[in-house]
């Protein structure tokens, strides 16, 4: 990929919010903002398989920019179009994206001994996932400094669960059986996934990512005790090791453990600058528990986007006023935007965050 310097950044609002610096208003972006709710993305999917888009830097760049172009001036960050399951693929597993069903592993891990036969002993992350790095570098140039670019990984427990369940699951009973029946093998697998996550995130920053997010999408399926054993230690390792490896190149990092409301205080002390929240937190309780240690991100229920203009405006008002607008807050949804959300609802959400954010910032300034 090109080694020419990246264009200068014109909007660093989200980076300042993540670092705890004062902002003129709350920055905003949306998880899965490049995705199926966009007609231009659906048109791309008619021509190309999901993982083909992930693996083709030109296509990944094009799709990453779709929401930035459509909602020009309304989004304060882009997130590279990829998938958390590129890590199991890099480790040697086959993952297919089945239309209408989601991810499918034709040959999942069943017993601990499968790790020896189904996973590579050593993963050359740079070789296996170079296509993501190329897409990040290409996208940084294509963005032309309009907004920062976020890189990401799935967290070890979430990836382990997919690798054992063979896809999505309502109970995660197979993955949990491993935790309780084979705790040592489970920790070995989690450690191996962690090593790949660390290398991959470091590579993403070196390719041009300006911020990182770790998605523990199935964190809430664990009890508080099991979260402390099988999730939290690996989340902490990732933050510590990525920052140690990058040194002066380190970028702000966000952790999102969906459903793990019980762990908010621990997550705020886990080495990440930002903790992303789902919609089960109130701004007041989240702020009280985290005591200004971290930036908070979130957390509107994505389903509110189906509720019509009044519901969207009222919920955004309550959210932004609850979290505040000029310090340690990034507006977002409490999970990814859903595939059938009207594009107009997303636009109203973004415009309302901007309007209310500026109003609250003015009120906060006048109060001082």
């Amino acid at each position: 990929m090109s080694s020419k310097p990246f264009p200068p950044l014109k909007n660093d609002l989200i980076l300042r919010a993540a670092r705890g610096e004062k902002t003129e208003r709350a920055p905003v972006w949306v998880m899965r903002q490049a995705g199926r709710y966009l007609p231009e993305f659906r048109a791309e999917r008619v021509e190309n398989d999901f993982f083909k888009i992930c693996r083709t830097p030109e296509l990944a760049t094009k799709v990453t920019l779709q929401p930035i172009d459509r909602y020009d001036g309304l989004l304060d960050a882009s997130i590279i179009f990829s998938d958390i399951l590129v890590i199991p693929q890099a480790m040697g597993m086959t993952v297919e994206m089945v239309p209408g069903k989601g991810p499918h592993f034709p040959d999942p891990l069943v017993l601990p001994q499968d790790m020896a036969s189904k996973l590579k002993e050593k993963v050359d992350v740079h070789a296996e996932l170079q296509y993501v790095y190329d897409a990040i570098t290409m996208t940084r140039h294509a963005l032309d400094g309009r907004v920062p670019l976020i890189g990401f990984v799935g967290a070890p427990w979430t990836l382990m669960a997919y690798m054992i369940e063979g896809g999505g699951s309502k109970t995660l009973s197979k993955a949990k059986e491993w935790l309780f029946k084979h705790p040592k093998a489970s920790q070995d697998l989690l450690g191996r996934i962690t090593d790949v996550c660390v290398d991959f995130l470091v590579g993403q920053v070196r390719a041009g990512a300006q911020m990182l997010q770790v998605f523990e999408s199935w964190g809430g399926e664990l009890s508080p005790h099991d979260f402390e054993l099988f999730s939290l230690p690996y989340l902490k390792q990732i933050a510590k090791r990525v920052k140690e490896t990058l040194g002066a190149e380190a970028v702000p990092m966000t952790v999102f453990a969906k459903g793990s409301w019980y762990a908010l205080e621990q997550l705020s002390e886990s080495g990440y600058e930002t903790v992303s929240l789902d919609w089960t937190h109130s701004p007041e309780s989240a702020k009280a528990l985290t005591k200004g240690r971290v930036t908070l991100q979130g957390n509107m229920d994505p389903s509110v986007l189906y509720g019509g203009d009044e519901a969207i405006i009222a919920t955004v008002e309550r959210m932004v006023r609850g979290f505040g607008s000029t310090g340690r807050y990034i507006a977002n949804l409490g999970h990814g935007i859903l595939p059938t959300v009207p594009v107009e609802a997303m636009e109203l959400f973004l415009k309302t965050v901007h309007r209310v954010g500026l109003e609250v910032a003015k009120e906060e300034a006048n109060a001082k």
Side-chain angles (χ1 to χ4, degrees), residues 277-281 297-301 319 323 329 332-334:
L277 308 171
D278 63 33
W279 59 92
T280 62
H281 297 269
Q297 175 176 277
N299 71 333
M300 191 173 92
D301 183 338
M319 176 178 80
F323 283 108
Y329 175 56
N332 205 315
L333 300 179

Side-chain angles (χ1 to χ4, degrees), residues 15 54 63 79 124 141 175 186 217 263 274 289 317 325 328 341 347 353 365:
L15 301 181
C54 293
V63 166
I79 182 165
D124 183 342
H141 286 293
S186 295
S217 307
T274 300
L289 280 168
E317 284 262 8
S325 183
R328 303 235 82 156
V341 163
E347 183 174 3
V353 170

Side-chain angles (χ1 to χ4, degrees), residues 48-64:
N48 297 292
D49 166 76
F50 178 87
F51 281 116
K52 184 186 175 187
I53 297 174
C54 293
R55 291 191 188 112
T56 310
E58 293 79 7
L59 294 176
T61 296
K62 180 181 177 184
V63 166
T64 301

